[in-house]
Amino acid sequence: MLGAYRGTIDDGGETLDDARGEVVKTLTGGYGAFDFEASEVIEREGVVVAGTIVTHYERLPMIAFSLTRPEWRRQGLARGGLLRVMHRLARARHARVQLAVTCGNTPAERLYESLGFTDV
Ligand SMILES: CC(C)(COP(=O)(O)OP(=O)(O)OC[C@H]1O[C@@H](n2cnc3c(N)ncnc32)[C@H](O)[C@@H]1OP(=O)(O)O)[C@@H](O)C(=O)NCCC(=O)NCCS
């Protein structure tokens, strides 16, 4: 998580402890109930290199985090993760999914637009 955000528009100079706090907050419902069924991480040689993390916030599923380690980017890991997450949510009878993205986070905005997300 820390490595994925480092140097991006969302980098607020967070520390490893800050990132740990975010993980705990996410797993314990701070962004809505954590969805263990829908969420996933991708590992390569025992290291987590990407993740797509789902919670349920204000009655809609939400992509709380889509993250790829810098050295693993532009290989379709985030797109693949999001597509699998959306299929799992659809099978669980969710017709919509929400997320929040910082304006100017071009990689994420392009990715989400290409998957059909629209501004609300
Ligand atoms: C956004 C992020 C998750 C994308 O991860 P990724 O695994 O590199 O994404 P993918 O390889 O699946 O890319 C899918 C598409 O996204 C778009 N995209 C990804 N990176 C891009 C970039 N640097 N510039 C422009 N478009 C980009 C492209 O449309 C790309 O398709 P293409 O490679 O066929 O052109 C990654 O850059 C990241 O971890 N960013 C920091 C964390 C973050 O901001 N997360 C989102 C907000 S919660």
Side-chain angles (χ1 to χ4, degrees):
M1 174 180 274
L2 195 59
Y5 279 115
R6 187 63 78 226
T8 73
I9 196 169
D10 294 313
D11 184 359
E14 289 84 357
T15 64
L16 189 55
D17 276 345
D18 294 330
R20 283 201 184 102
E22 278 297 297
V23 172
V24 170
K25 182 174 177 180
T26 306
L27 291 171
T28 56
Y31 295 109
F34 187 84
D35 190 332
F36 285 92
E37 302 287 324
S39 301
E40 65 164 64
V41 293
I42 298 174
E43 289 184 24
R44 293 286 183 268
E45 295 170 6
V47 175
V48 174
V49 297
T52 311
I53 305 303
V54 184
T55 62
H56 291 260
Y57 186 75
E58 293 183 350
R59 298 170 56 182
L60 267 188
M62 177 170 84
I63 311 291
F65 296 100
S66 170
L67 306 161
T68 302
R69 287 175 80 103
E71 61 272 33
W72 286 88
R73 287 191 186 148
R74 295 310 282 267
Q75 298 177 48
L77 295 184
R79 183 189 296 283
L82 286 159
L83 283 169
R84 285 188 296 276
V85 158
M86 290 192 283
H87 281 292
R88 286 194 284 272
L89 290 172
R91 277 205 301 273
R93 301 188 179 280
H94 294 289
R96 299 171 66 203
V97 60
Q98 62 181 331
L99 57 82
V101 58
T102 306
C103 287
N105 185 347
T106 307
E109 288 175 322
R110 295 250 169 89
L111 170 61
Y112 297 142
E113 276 164 22
S114 75
L115 289 167
F117 283 86
T118 54
D119 286 345
V120 292

